[in-house]
Amino acid sequence: MSSAQERLTDALYGLGWSAVKKLPEPAAVRLGRTVADLAWKRRGKGVQRLESNYARVVPDASPERLAELSRAGMRSYLRYWMESFRLPAWSADRIRTGFEPKDVHHLTDGIASDRGVILALPHMANWDLAGAWVTTKLETPFTTVAERLKPETLYDRFVAYREGLGMEVLPHSGGTAFGTLARRLRDGGLVCLVAERDLSASGVEVKFFGESTRMPAGPALLAQQTGALLLPVTLWYDDSPVMKGRVHPPVEVPESGDRAEKTSVITQALADAFATGIADHPEDWHMLQRLWLADLDPMKGPS
């Protein structure tokens, strides 16, 4: 990306955060749907990749069904962005009532135990809203990791945005994030990680909807090293303004095997939990990038 493109990208995100949050909610919803439909009709690389990924999730879908899914997926993706641009202006009560997770007792019991909790989730619905709900409704701060974006000013915007919602944000690169996360967990804290796409090209190979991909080893390694509770989470939208979600049962650390073997088993269990949620609500999985190994250029890694 050229410096001019980076400045334009940063400016557009800045405009979103400054302008969209001032819109009445019905207007923001209409704007998001309009932008989503325009992007879907253009059938750019992101839309084509989204549709290709959905073909793995719903292998018996006809071309017409895949087109319907990708349109719904783009609308879900733009709903995420409209909500995220507006989240800083939401009242605490709006955040508390904006998310209804099932089986949240897995999380609240874990927090109460002081054992430390890792929440691992895929790119579904609005993970920022889920995080804001945790800090607001449960009054529990947490630590997360953010991918370093280009330009640096855009990364800074995302960090400031998430810190404004009550999150501690660590950069994905730099090598110190893992140690900080481990310390937070040993102190009985909460860590939240988006964990179905490996950004290092050295993740753990798993089967995901019947094909091989790699997922980050971090959640499994942290669970082993700290003894923290590891909970998969999946999210989705319905026709209401309230996002839905599920906290899945804990993924246990195997009693036998070396660290690599245990990491493989744990990460596969996470992949299976993610697949369950994605299969139920494929249109709310916002994966507009290549994911499966068969789609990746081995010389370039993830993109």
Side-chain angles (χ1 to χ4, degrees), residues 12-89:
L12 289 173
Y13 278 100
L15 179 64
W17 267 300
S18 63
V20 173
K21 71 180 178 182
K22 297 176 183 177
L23 292 174
E25 189 158 342
V29 170
R30 288 195 299 270
L31 176 61
R33 180 161 291 200
T34 298
V35 173
D37 287 349
L38 287 172
W40 178 77
K41 289 177 182 177
R42 289 182 61 189
R43 291 196 59 79
K45 289 183 179 179
V47 173
Q48 293 179 51
R49 177 53 55 193
L50 182 67
E51 205 164 286
S52 174
N53 289 338
Y54 286 160
R56 262 64 174 247
V57 177
V58 190
D60 58 348
S62 66
E64 293 77 16
R65 172 60 176 149
L66 287 175
E68 291 174 359
L69 273 176
S70 65
R71 184 177 189 180
M74 290 304 296
R75 287 182 171 185
S76 176
Y77 185 49
L78 264 294
R79 176 174 171 175
Y80 159 73
W81 278 113
M82 293 299 107
E83 286 180 348
S84 294
F85 287 144
R86 291 172 52 76
L87 260 178

Side-chain angles (χ1 to χ4, degrees), residues 191-214:
V191 164
C192 299
L193 300 171
V194 181
E196 95 278 32
R197 182 169 178 249
D198 178 45
L199 297 174
S200 67
S202 60
V204 180
E205 188 167 328
V206 296
K207 288 293 184 181
F208 194 51
F209 293 101
E211 292 191 45
S212 295
T213 187
R214 292 190 183 93

Side-chain angles (χ1 to χ4, degrees), residues 224 253-263 265:
Q224 292 176 78
V253 176
E255 295 183 2
S256 61
D258 59 24
R259 187 172 72 166
E261 291 168 338
K262 291 179 179 179
T263 299
V265 171

